[in-house]
Amino acid sequence: MSQATINLLDLKDPKIRMLHITWFAFFLSFVVWFSHAPMLAVIKEAFDLTGEQVKALMILNVAMTIPARILIGILVDKFGPRHIFSGLLILSGGICLLFATATSYEQLALFRFLLGFVGAGFVIGIRMVGEWFPARQVGLAEGIYGGWGNFGSAAGAMALPTIALMFGGDDGWRYALGLTGVVASFYGVFYYLKARNTPKGSTYFKPKKSGGLEVSSWGDFWFYLAMNIPMYIALAVLTWKLSPSNLGLLSSGGAGGIYIGLVLLYLFQVYQIWKVNHEHLKQGVPEMQRYQFRQVAILDGSYFVTFGSELAVVSMLPLFFLETFEGLDPVKAGLLASGFAFMNLVARPGGGWLSDRFGRRKTLMILISGLAAGYFLLSHINGTWWIFLAVLATMCCSFFVQAGEGAVFAMVPLVQRRMTGQIAGMAGAYGNVGGVTYLTILSFVDYQTFFLLIAASAVLLFVGVIFLKEPSGKMAEVLPDGTVELIDVS
């Protein structure tokens, strides 16, 4: 048996059991996060919403996720994944129930905005899986966790309309969404009872201070501050979309207040990062505890291109097929486009397995190259293509996209163990920033240019991945009593 192989049926193995209960927790968080999507047409009719109001709900659904992934990463490293995942599922299940019982558009908008927080659930399991699996298997394990969990959005889209029909009546959608919230809350309790942060006898390492990543040099400190700016720009772009100059669902004063709030929030984060780092940077970081923040930045950029482009393409692909090929109705176009998301089940674990087997850096370089080529191919699709070939092209492209996501998180737990949650949170947030960026670009260009620009950004990223350092040897973490424990990352 290969060292990188995992027997998913060996439920006697504690780490296999932990993988299964954790990917299902992530699966449920994605069901809750995107539960409104298959119900939008019914909700629009029930509340007599305008097209602009529906667009606003979709924007609000992702707005909170960017800062939430940073905050959840900090909380996971401080309190452990067991408590945070349990709490997130219980809380989001309750908010989902409130959304299902909303009686006005204002309530729908508020609860949808708050439910964006559950999109940060992904970060929690990255730390949990990283604690339970050795370096030679962590890529495949993280890929299974991410790929199978991500499928929650597609599973919800298939199951929730059927559940609504089973309940029947005008309120069928409410019962379907409410049931989703109930299941998530009960599973949160189950997860608290069954999950453990580490295998028996292992230490759960925590950062010395909370509020930001510990970095190893003053150069990395300034680099870290700069890397946080794009996340605030993405939130400013979302605010602009809701402002009077776009959808018009915020007043000028409201939008201005949010812009000022974002500036103040960034300054507060700068202060927190300073508090975490200034003392130990003055004293000098011991060589065995150093790491290069460049590693984190390259992984952030990789997730920006991979998951960011997936978010954008999944959002626009049904309309692309509908407008490109004559004779398609919206249902057929949606089914044809769904092939892109379905690849998650095998592609993301595949990217993790390739990383475990053939090397992290080399695998990511190959997958980013394939992603660039895939989007370049998609930019040439037009109405003269056979539909079968167009679908095949999108599925081939999506393999490289989602395998690339698996390769990114095959490396995240190997950078610095005690800060895995925060590193995963930052990378995850950059994925959402990528989605906002690419969708904003799409609002100004045609489909062909959109695909070409994603391909071009992947080529630029490829240059960065050349400088990615392959994890090797051992990572040093300091126990509370001052002794040092070495963790194998090869």
Side-chain angles (χ1 to χ4, degrees):
M1 181 182 289
S2 166
Q3 285 188 320
T5 299
I6 294 174
N7 181 3
L8 292 172
L9 299 179
D10 185 10
L11 297 180
K12 293 181 180 178
D13 186 340
K15 67 177 179 290
I16 300 298
R17 292 200 302 272
M18 197 59 56
L19 175 61
H20 281 304
I21 68 170
T22 301
W23 77 252
F24 192 71
F26 176 38
F27 175 93
L28 282 179
S29 74
F30 255 53
V31 172
V32 170
W33 190 19
F34 290 103
S35 59
H36 72 302
M39 301 296 178
L40 275 178
V42 181
I43 294 172
K44 181 180 180 182
E45 183 178 347
F47 286 86
D48 194 24
L49 304 182
T50 64
E52 286 74 18
Q53 288 174 317
V54 172
K55 288 180 183 176
L57 286 179
M58 291 190 285
I59 293 170
L60 289 168
N61 195 54
V62 299
M64 180 65 85
T65 311
I66 295 173
R69 287 187 167 185
I70 300 297
L71 177 59
I72 286 293
I74 293 171
L75 294 175
V76 168
D77 287 340
K78 184 175 178 63
F79 298 107
R82 175 184 171 225
H83 287 86
I84 302 304
F85 225 152
S86 299
L88 185 72
L89 287 171
I90 293 168
L91 180 62
S92 60
I95 298 172
C96 191
L97 275 169
L98 291 173
F99 181 84
T101 55
T103 56
S104 67
Y105 176 71
E106 289 73 21
Q107 290 178 4
L108 286 176
L110 172 63
F111 298 135
R112 207 68 244 165
F113 174 69
L114 294 176
L115 274 173
F117 213 90
V118 76
F122 166 70
V123 173
I124 307 171
I126 292 296
R127 175 83 197 243
M128 178 68 93
V129 174
E131 291 288 338
W132 279 85
F133 284 83
R136 67 181 183 275
Q137 295 179 327
V138 76
L140 177 55
E142 297 283 16
I144 291 167
Y145 164 75
W148 292 12
N150 262 347
F151 189 68
S153 58
M158 291 184 289
L160 290 177
T162 303
I163 295 172
L165 284 173
M166 288 170 59
F167 280 106
D170 294 337
D171 290 333
W173 69 272
R174 293 184 184 274
Y175 290 112
L177 295 185
L179 181 62
T180 301
V182 170
V183 171
S185 293
F186 273 107
Y187 195 81
V189 175
F190 171 81
Y191 195 81
Y192 180 81
L193 296 173
K194 294 296 182 181
R196 293 294 178 268
N197 289 331
T198 62
K200 190 174 181 180
S202 296
T203 303
Y204 189 80
F205 294 102
K206 301 179 181 181
K208 296 171 187 173
K209 296 180 181 179
S210 297
L213 285 173
E214 298 169 16
V215 294
S216 302
S217 68
W218 284 110
D220 281 353
F221 173 81
W222 296 111
F223 191 7
Y224 178 27
L225 294 185
M227 283 294 293
N228 279 284
I229 293 174
M231 291 183 278
Y232 290 90
I233 293 174
L235 291 170
V237 168
L238 290 173
T239 303
W240 167 74
K241 285 187 176 182
L242 297 172
S243 71
S245 59
N246 204 293
L247 293 177
L249 294 169
L250 283 175
S251 66
S252 297
I258 293 174
Y259 293 137
I260 293 170
L262 289 175
V263 172
L264 294 176
L265 186 59
Y266 175 70
L267 293 176
F268 176 73
Q269 188 182 19
V270 169
Y271 172 69
Q272 291 294 108
I273 293 171
W274 166 261
K275 277 207 319 183
V276 167
N277 284 286
H278 79 281
E279 190 174 320
H280 81 269
L281 287 179
K282 270 196 222 174
Q283 296 172 351
V285 181
E287 186 64 34
M288 68 177 180
Q289 294 182 42
R290 286 175 171 263
Y291 75 101
Q292 296 176 331
F293 182 76
R294 180 181 72 194
Q295 302 290 91
V296 178
I298 294 171
L299 293 173
D300 291 348
S302 300
Y303 212 58
F304 178 103
V305 170
T306 53
F307 186 67
S309 68
E310 181 185 354
L311 274 181
V313 172
V314 166
S315 300
M316 56 73 68
L317 205 55
L319 188 60
F320 170 70
F321 275 115
L322 190 65
E323 295 181 2
T324 302
F325 298 101
E326 293 183 10
L328 287 183
D329 58 46
V331 174
K332 289 179 182 176
L335 285 172
L336 292 174
S338 67
F340 198 97
F342 266 88
M343 289 298 290
N344 257 312
L345 289 172
V346 293
R348 193 155 181 159
W353 179 82
L354 289 169
S355 292
D356 291 339
R357 189 73 184 268
F358 301 108
R360 320 285 173 188
R361 176 172 162 271
K362 183 197 302 182
T363 297
L364 190 55
M365 289 176 68
I366 291 170
L367 294 174
I368 293 296
S369 301
L371 179 152
Y375 280 120
F376 180 76
L377 178 62
L378 295 193
S379 73
H380 289 78
I381 294 177
N382 56 50
T384 65
W385 279 46
W386 289 349
I387 293 179
F388 168 76
L389 288 179
V391 172
L392 184 62
T394 59
M395 292 184 72
C396 288
C397 179
S398 72
F399 172 81
F400 287 101
V401 171
Q402 290 150 14
E405 295 164 14
V408 169
F409 279 93
M411 187 166 172
V412 163
L414 305 179
V415 176
Q416 201 76 345
R417 175 61 61 85
R418 69 184 181 278
M419 296 184 293
T420 295
Q422 293 178 78
I423 295 170
M426 193 169 185
Y430 257 83
N432 281 68
V433 171
V436 172
T437 302
Y438 290 131
L439 284 172
T440 302
I441 289 171
L442 181 59
S443 66
F444 294 106
V445 301
D446 59 27
Y447 294 124
Q448 285 68 34
T449 306
F450 167 74
F451 288 129
L452 279 174
L453 287 173
I454 297 178
S457 64
V459 171
L460 289 175
L461 176 65
F462 178 86
V463 177
V465 175
I466 293 173
F467 298 97
L468 192 64
K469 182 182 176 184
E470 179 79 19
S472 61
K474 297 184 184 296
M475 174 198 310
E477 291 288 4
V478 181
L479 292 163
D481 64 2
T483 59
V484 176
E485 183 172 320
L486 299 178
I487 302 167
D488 187 13
V489 297
S490 297

